[in-house]
Amino acid sequence: MERKIAIITGASSGFGFLSAISLAKQGYTVYATMRNLEKAVMYEEDHIPIEIRDLIHIHQLDVTDESSVQELKDLVSSIGRADVLVNNAGFAGGGFCEEITIQEYRTQFETNVFGVMAVTQAVLPVMREQGFGKIINMSSISGRVGFPGVSPYVSSKFALEGYSESLRLEMKPYGVQVALIEPGSFKTNIWSSGKQVSEKSQQPSSPYASYMERINKHLDESKDDMGDPQDVADLIVLLAQQNELKKLRYPVGKGVGFMLKLKKWLPWNKWEREILKRL
């Protein structure tokens, strides 16, 4: 029986790395893509069985580079099959709206939005022609709820949510299914090495310095409550193996469901107070 093919972007750490391992354990041939191939050393660790490693193929991919995406498209065309695409590559841009440059916003969107669009376009022709496939886009609770100090990240995830709605409606008649995973706070590097704060907002002279300090303190105090990223990887495997993705959105993480309900039902002034009193 022909092995199913999974393609994962941003597979050098966090959700991407764990989902690559988890899908390989389920018998998928996994193309784990990443911008920096030096980080592929993670796949050589002793705790990963050799039979799992043999199912994982490392591929260099910069989702913001047109020629790199074209190489991926050529690879998928040569394979002739794509069962699952996990659009996971991304980073978190932070700072305050007054101080973040437009170029910094553009850089955020290049990866989190346009990168997803480019990779999806590279894989869609094969999925459409074969009449099946699943596209799983890694969004965030920040794609449904805006938070202060991270407007580039929030904006990019809101955009991803809208794109995914349209994509799902377009592709459903062709047998290609689309889903959004919306994680809350998990123990990944998204808020450490994966976070890029605008230079102006890092300066002690910034008028928002004390506000930024409160936000960072809140993040530090929340670390113990962050979830296990394997839970997200397990959800990716679950969605990959389902015959039908009946929902578009899959929130995951401690308190995420409650927060979404609260935002839906609370008047804005009360919701605003609820967010700001935590900082």
Side-chain angles (χ1 to χ4, degrees):
M1 185 175 178
E2 191 176 3
R3 285 190 183 275
K4 292 184 176 181
I5 304 294
I7 300 157
I8 304 172
T9 68
S12 63
S13 65
F15 300 143
F17 171 74
L18 292 172
S19 60
I21 300 296
S22 299
L23 285 167
K25 286 180 177 178
Q26 296 301 316
Y28 285 78
T29 295
V30 177
Y31 288 85
T33 76
M34 61 197 71
R35 188 174 56 179
N36 184 358
L37 289 181
E38 291 180 2
K39 294 183 178 180
V41 69
M42 293 182 65
Y43 289 91
E44 299 172 10
E45 294 176 1
D46 291 339
H47 66 87
I48 303 173
I50 188 68
E51 61 269 20
I52 300 303
R53 281 186 251 173
D54 287 345
L55 290 174
I56 298 173
H57 304 276
I58 307 299
H59 182 80
Q60 198 278 334
L61 173 66
D62 181 346
V63 302
T64 68
D65 183 84
E66 188 175 339
S67 62
S68 184
V69 174
Q70 182 61 49
E71 288 178 10
L72 175 68
K73 184 174 182 178
D74 294 341
L75 173 65
V76 175
S77 296
S78 68
I79 297 167
R81 177 171 181 152
D83 295 83
V84 181
L85 168 63
V86 181
N87 279 311
N88 173 71
F91 71 94
F96 285 82
C97 295
E98 180 184 344
E99 299 176 322
I100 300 165
T101 67
I102 297 303
Q103 183 55 51
E104 286 171 324
Y105 278 112
R106 287 194 178 106
T107 300
Q108 176 75 101
F109 271 67
E110 283 293 341
T111 297
N112 290 17
V113 182
F114 303 134
V116 171
M117 293 173 174
V119 171
T120 300
Q121 285 185 343
V123 176
L124 272 182
V126 167
M127 286 189 171
R128 175 179 48 75
E129 288 171 12
Q130 69 192 12
F132 61 85
K134 293 189 179 77
I135 298 171
I136 300 172
N137 290 336
M138 189 62 63
S139 183
S140 166
I141 182 65
S142 296
R144 304 278 293 279
V145 178
F147 298 99
V150 284
S151 66
Y153 183 65
V154 167
S155 302
S156 71
K157 292 302 183 182
F158 265 74
L160 178 62
E161 296 259 338
Y163 168 72
S164 299
E165 283 194 19
S166 293
L167 180 66
R168 179 176 169 112
L169 293 170
E170 288 178 5
M171 299 314 301
K172 195 159 189 177
Y174 300 93
V176 180
Q177 303 181 61
V178 178
L180 283 158
I181 294 181
E182 300 169 329
S185 296
F186 283 85
K187 294 176 182 176
T188 70
N189 66 350
I190 190 70
W191 299 116
S192 54
S193 60
K195 185 179 180 183
Q196 297 181 21
V197 179
S198 177
E199 185 176 346
K200 287 184 179 180
S201 294
Q202 297 182 62
Q203 303 304 317
S205 59
S206 166
Y208 301 98
S210 61
Y211 200 168
M212 178 63 81
E213 188 177 334
R214 295 199 304 274
I215 291 171
N216 288 335
K217 183 181 178 183
H218 174 71
L219 285 172
D220 288 339
E221 291 174 347
S222 302
K223 284 181 179 177
D224 290 340
D225 292 328
M226 291 182 178
D228 183 351
Q230 184 62 50
D231 293 343
V232 176
D234 291 342
L235 177 57
I236 289 171
V237 172
L238 179 66
L239 298 184
Q241 294 183 317
Q242 284 183 358
N243 290 329
E244 181 183 2
L245 301 180
K246 294 185 177 180
K247 299 190 301 179
L248 168 64
R249 293 179 169 89
Y250 293 84
V252 57
K254 183 178 179 181
V256 169
F258 177 72
M259 179 176 286
L260 291 173
K261 288 178 182 177
L262 205 61
K263 184 183 181 186
K264 182 178 180 180
W265 296 112
L266 277 183
W268 177 259
N269 61 334
K270 291 184 178 179
W271 168 255
E272 195 173 74
R273 272 201 308 272
E274 191 68 28
I275 294 293
L276 293 177
K277 77 178 184 181
R278 304 179 186 205
L279 304 174

